[in-house]
Amino acid sequence: MDNIHFFVTVSGTLLILYFVLRHFWGWDLPTITNEQAAPLLKGKANAIILDIRDKETYEAQRAKNAINIPAQELSQRIKELKKHKDKLIIVMDHSGKGSKKIVRQLIKQDFPYVASFHHGFEGYRGPIYKGDQEDTKE
């Protein structure tokens, strides 16, 4: 009987730990890879990039056609995204870790199509701008 009790206790603990970590690390949130995003961002597709990095970082190097709303300003500027509510909003930060919090926030604000960009700007391989010049990331 002690083995069964031990097994149930360990299994229950691991299950709770899994669900807590899943929520904490954003495992339950949609993510999109560079390969998945590329065709969606071409032409007049129904997807946009929301770059949540600070303004200076964004202006130094940014994804083509991205909208910059720094994470700390999103609450005050959420109305700017309302016109894109019917599109897939791909949230991009520097490394892909901070964007999950914003994805969760947008989902709570009733944005139905939101995903975190896997690996953030570091993993982005589409057209980018450096300053005023268009360039491609190698």
Side-chain angles (χ1 to χ4, degrees), residues 74-75 78-79 82 85 102-112 114:
L74 185 63
S75 296
I78 195 79
K79 289 181 183 178
K82 296 289 184 185
K85 203 167 186 174
I102 301 300
V103 167
R104 192 176 310 280
Q105 183 179 347
L106 290 172
I107 290 170
K108 285 180 182 177
Q109 297 263 343
D110 295 324
F111 284 85
V114 187

Side-chain angles (χ1 to χ4, degrees), residues 1 3 8 11 13 15 20 30 40 44 50-51 53-54 58 60-61 70 73 78 82 93 104-105 115 123 127 130:
M1 196 57 128
N3 289 340
V8 169
S11 298
T13 303
L15 191 60
V20 168
L40 298 173
K44 295 185 186 255
L50 171 62
D51 192 323
R53 299 175 300 151
D54 64 75
Y58 169 80
Q61 199 173 43
E73 297 176 16
I78 195 79
K82 296 289 184 185
D93 67 349
R104 192 176 310 280
Q105 183 179 347
K130 294 179 182 177

Side-chain angles (χ1 to χ4, degrees), residues 61 124-130 133-138:
Q61 199 173 43
Y124 180 68
R125 298 291 177 258
I128 64 169
Y129 289 90
K130 294 179 182 177
Q133 297 180 328
E134 185 176 354
D135 200 351
T136 55
K137 195 171 184 177
E138 297 179 37

Side-chain angles (χ1 to χ4, degrees), residues 50-54 68-72 91-93 98-99 102:
L50 171 62
D51 192 323
I52 60 168
R53 299 175 300 151
D54 64 75
N68 178 237
I69 301 177
Q72 63 274 17
V91 182
M92 180 186 287
D93 67 349
S99 60
I102 301 300

Side-chain angles (χ1 to χ4, degrees), residues 30-107:
T31 59
I32 190 165
T33 65
N34 200 54
E35 292 77 20
Q36 293 168 325
L40 298 173
L41 295 168
K42 290 186 178 183
K44 295 185 186 255
N46 288 325
I48 61 161
I49 293 177
L50 171 62
D51 192 323
I52 60 168
R53 299 175 300 151
D54 64 75
K55 185 177 180 179
E56 294 77 24
T57 305
Y58 169 80
E59 289 177 351
Q61 199 173 43
R62 60 194 178 275
K64 184 177 182 180
N65 298 326
I67 297 169
N68 178 237
I69 301 177
Q72 63 274 17
E73 297 176 16
L74 185 63
S75 296
Q76 297 86 10
R77 298 177 58 188
I78 195 79
K79 289 181 183 178
E80 294 175 40
L81 288 178
K82 296 289 184 185
K83 64 182 174 187
H84 302 291
K85 203 167 186 174
D86 62 333
K87 297 179 181 179
L88 171 62
I89 299 173
I90 302 170
V91 182
M92 180 186 287
D93 67 349
H94 183 69
S95 64
K97 295 177 183 167
S99 60
K100 292 179 181 178
K101 180 180 178 183
I102 301 300
V103 167
R104 192 176 310 280
Q105 183 179 347
L106 290 172
I107 290 170

